[in-house]
Amino acid sequence: NAGVTQTPKFQVLKTGQSMTLQCAQDMNHEYMSWYRQDPGMGLRLIHYSVGAGITDQGEVPNGYNVSRSTTEDFPLRLLSAAPSQTSVYFCASSILQGYGYTFGSGTRLTVV
Amino acid sequence: TQLLEQSPQFLSIQEGENLTVYCNSSSVFSSLQWYRQEPGEGPVLLVTVVTGGEVKKLKRLTFQFGDARKDSSLHITAAQPGDTGLYLCAGANQFYFGTGTSLTVIP
């Protein structure tokens, strides 16, 4: 099993550009989420989903959109990138909310 | 708002030493998770504690959940270089993570 797969691993964007960070899991997990990790700030929840068709905001949702059309995929969209969105982004999945997560290996995003 | 405070922030010890890291909050959590993260990788789940006062052991790692379910500790016995990494605690269905303890074990 591949677990949680994130693409791309690295990305450089110019301010104002848009892009989608991909996340796919092959474990039939219902719960998926996106975090960003910044030095000294720990992991902060951006958006999460408890199942296909259901999404909700986390602690830092501004500037990001998500959708969950299938159980397997949970893409994160940056509509107009800003330097403040420079970070490492992690996708995670769990069989149910409250159970331990399986994390992807991350996407390192730089916005210039 | 940082609901979970971890201490110490950095820890550098010699191989074979024992250590304890802490995760504290003013909030009560129904469960708390501990993760270890290595550079360039995502966090890996070590344990979930659910019951106040619960103690779980994972080889040389001992995890304890406080009686009031507001704090937790991780004790490592006879640390090895392979224990090097960032240790993170998480609560409230992993809505919140602590800022982590960066551990370096020197051979």
Side-chain angles (χ1 to χ4, degrees):
Chain A
N1 284 344
V4 178
T5 301
Q6 290 186 237
T7 56
K9 288 191 177 296
F10 301 93
Q11 183 72 49
V12 178
L13 286 180
K14 293 183 179 180
T15 298
Q17 287 185 320
S18 63
M19 79 161 293
T20 299
L21 278 63
Q22 301 292 343
C23 176
Q25 53 92 8
D26 61 359
M27 298 172 286
N28 202 32
H29 283 173
E30 290 293 327
Y31 194 80
M32 296 185 74
S33 57
W34 277 102
Y35 293 89
R36 59 178 291 172
Q37 188 173 33
D38 304 291
M41 298 294 292
L43 284 159
R44 291 183 291 169
L45 182 63
I46 304 171
H47 285 284
Y48 65 96
S49 169
V50 300
I54 305 169
T55 64
D56 207 344
Q57 296 181 352
E59 185 183 2
V60 290
N62 292 341
Y64 308 95
N65 280 354
V66 292
S67 60
R68 183 96 180 270
S69 57
T70 67
T71 298
E72 294 78 21
D73 299 299
F74 191 41
L76 179 71
R77 298 182 183 86
L78 283 69
L79 301 178
S80 180
S84 62
Q85 293 178 305
T86 294
S87 187
V88 182
Y89 291 85
F90 288 100
C91 178
S93 74
S94 174
I95 188 167
L96 287 173
Q97 190 174 14
Y99 283 69
Y101 277 163
T102 298
F103 279 83
S105 58
T107 295
R108 183 174 296 274
L109 175 68
T110 302
V111 183
V112 297
Chain B
T1 301
Q2 187 58 254
L3 290 187
L4 289 163
E5 299 288 341
Q6 290 190 243
S7 61
Q9 188 175 0
F10 298 98
L11 190 56
S12 180
I13 62 171
Q14 295 290 329
E15 181 176 0
E17 293 183 352
N18 301 332
L19 66 115
T20 303
V21 298
Y22 301 92
C23 175
N24 295 300
S25 175
S26 57
S27 301
V28 175
F29 292 111
S30 58
S31 67
L32 193 143
Q33 287 79 24
W34 283 94
Y35 291 83
R36 182 170 69 208
Q37 183 179 22
E38 298 186 9
E41 298 295 327
V44 175
L45 179 69
L46 296 174
V47 76
T48 297
V49 287
V50 178
T51 306
E54 181 178 5
V55 176
K56 282 192 172 180
K57 292 191 176 184
L58 185 66
K59 295 183 181 178
R60 294 176 293 99
L61 279 60
T62 302
F63 303 86
Q64 185 163 7
F65 202 14
D67 290 341
R69 304 203 315 275
K70 292 183 178 182
D71 56 87
S72 182
S73 63
L74 160 58
H75 181 79
I76 301 179
T77 302
Q80 298 178 1
D83 296 325
T84 293
L86 179 67
Y87 288 81
L88 296 159
C89 63
N93 294 326
Q94 288 143 124
F95 197 98
Y96 296 106
F97 275 77
T99 53
T101 292
S102 179
L103 172 66
T104 301
V105 181
I106 302 166

